[in-house]
Amino acid sequence: MRFASLIASLTIIIFAVTGCSQEPTSYSVTAPDGGLSFKLTTDELGRVYFAVDDGDTAVISSSRMGFAFANAPSFTEGLSVVAGETATTDTTWELPWGERRFVRDHHNEQSFVLSDGDRTITLRVRMFDDGVGFRFEFPADFHAGELLITDELTQFNIANPSDKTFWNPAYNKDRYEYEYVKTNVTDVKAAHTPLTILDSTDRYVTLHEASLIDYSSMVLRGTDSSVLNGELVAGFDGVRVRQTGAFVTPWRTIQVTDSAPELLASNMILNLNEPNKLGDVSWVKPGVYMGIWWGMHLGENSWATGEKLGATTSEAKRYIDFISENGLDGFLVEGWNIGWDGNWIANADLFSFTEAQPFFDLEEVAAYAQEKNVDLVLHNETSGGIKNYEDQMEEAYALYQSLGVSHLKTGYVGFSNGYPRHDIHNEDHGDYLVFEWNHGQFMVNHYQKSIDLAAKYKIGINMHEPIKPTGLRRTYPNFMTREGVRGQEYNAWSEGNQPAHTTILPFTRMMGGPLDFTPGVFDVTFKGADASERIRTTITKQLALMVVLYSPLQMAADLPRNYAAKPELFQFIKDVPADWEESLPLEGEIGEYVVYARQARDSENWFIGGITNEDARSVSLDFSFLGEGDFTATVYRDGEQADWETNPYDAVIESMSVNASSTLNVAMAKGGGFAISVIKQ
Ligand code: NOJ
Ligand code: CA
């Protein structure tokens, strides 16, 4: 009897296990050149995993996928996978402005339908020769009403961890404005993307996302193991994403290359974004700009009215004259509007975006800029006062357009989790303010509102304290450039940036897109040679950064008097453009050095920039990228005695004739660099 009852319960147990167990499934998608492959598997519990191999070598080991919700059953287990449609794309499209004109999009695509029996999500995978992108597509019938996502399970299990993992710490008060940390994968705490690993097989692996729209950004949460967990940034109430109806997630991206230059040359993030939605964007004008700006950071000028006020009508005209006389393109003015007096960070809601302070005549300056053919870059600092800004945005942008303002630099200085929600004052939350992260869905949507409205009024945006770049400049070409980095400004008033910082940025932050770093400062010991506030650079490295750190709006950040004092070096800034026909990363190593050659748009001329970290080194240039004929190369390089610390101003300028078969060795000092203009004869 007892034996019979034991048999009965065993039967039930076995039945229960087979009842929820599934036949494991496995699929594979391969890149056009057959190198990278994406494997999708399910286990016997119906959990879904992906992996990425490069040939026979695993790059990403088995990593989980799935979703959890506050108001719907989770989509993590009991899932089946059916392969959907496949496609191959091989097209070339054109960037209206950019680091290159033509971009080839060559990929294999495969969709999969994931089902829990009641609901489905489509997983779309695109395989490029230099990486993998995948995203989740939710159909309208996935959920009735608003869906509240509390977790996206996407993981990245790094197959070959190394201590060369470069990452920017997330959830810190100054947003993305930190130097990159270099640790083992296992020591990552919480990191913004792009995060780049030179893995133990010497492959370069960048984790990021593309096309971040109406979603929260993804942070990578370390786990003390080789697994990095994708973590969506939470809103004020813990919900990470709210969506109604059909929607898609951003693409989760993994770029994988064998060399550093190949990583820098990858167009995958742009290729995963939608084509231009704005139509004719000939009004979006790239260029090199100067501005009433660095003087404020040095403390020579102020944003506030008073003796040191920077933005006066006469000072603006003096800048416009200097810019026009030297053939540069744009003029930025900060501190022109009402709101800077007092504590402008705390008094966010006092900013007016239409009224100028009494010493600045906006109409007169705008007319003067137009007369001198200089693009006016106005500044809107919101201090994170989103409602105050949104209430005025349309009127302000319409005013700017009527005055011929072509560009706007926006700013969102504020504690990274301090963006108030003035729309949330209800019984559930009481009559107190709640706050959002600058990289959560609420702010992603605010930044997008600014881009959409600026497009309506034909204004190009340079965003400071932005959301990280995910390639949206393809879809919205007026979203030109942004900060989202520890920029040059930190050298003015903090312990500054180490020489290696700018050799890390191309491989990390800039994998997402252009950067308003504000290079080109000539007076690098502005507080005296012994002061701790200085720029850890040689003077020719500052020229090189104008080429290396790509931005379609590139600032020449120093004061007019410092350029006037060094006209021979300033010649490079007068010559260098901010829009390119082609960009060739020639060589480099993450955190060590980078060399770029870029061909000016609609021109046969080339500009080369090379930078190094704290180590001196030489590079051997081969000019085989040049077209036919002879060119005059003007080389701006570190002198024999140059050293960022002891002799930052030792520079040599020399000219020579070069052609496509020329070669040249160039030495870089500690913290140094070089720039070369190569002009067709
Ligand atoms: C921070 C920005 O990065 C900087 O460029 C600007 O001058 C200040 N905020 C003031 O808005
Ligand atoms: Ca900033």
Side-chain angles (χ1 to χ4, degrees), residues 166-168 175-180 192-196 206-209 255 263-264 269 462-471 473 479-487 501-518 549-552 590:
F166 292 83
W167 55 282
N168 195 271
R175 307 157 305 271
Y176 304 99
E177 299 177 2
Y178 294 88
E179 286 194 280
Y180 278 75
H192 288 297
T193 69
L195 168 147
T196 296
T206 296
L207 306 179
H208 189 38
E209 56 185 315
Q255 284 153 289
L263 187 74
L264 298 180
I269 298 295
N462 169 8
M463 192 182 280
H464 276 231
E465 297 78 39
I467 185 65
K468 67 189 179 184
T470 59
R473 64 188 162 124
F479 200 166
M480 298 182 72
T481 191
R482 74 190 87 192
E483 188 195 42
V485 74
R486 187 175 165 98
H501 184 51
T502 44
T503 67
I504 296 171
L505 296 180
F507 300 94
T508 50
R509 158 67 180 77
M510 298 190 74
M511 292 300 293
L515 174 68
D516 189 39
F517 184 82
T518 70
L549 301 180
Y550 168 63
S551 182
I590 179 164

Side-chain angles (χ1 to χ4, degrees), residues 293 297 303 334 340 379 381 409 413 464-465 483 489:
W293 180 76
H297 288 271
W303 287 275
E334 297 204 1
W340 290 96
H379 179 232
E381 174 56 67
K409 170 178 170 179
V413 170
H464 276 231
E465 297 78 39
E483 188 195 42
E489 62 183 7

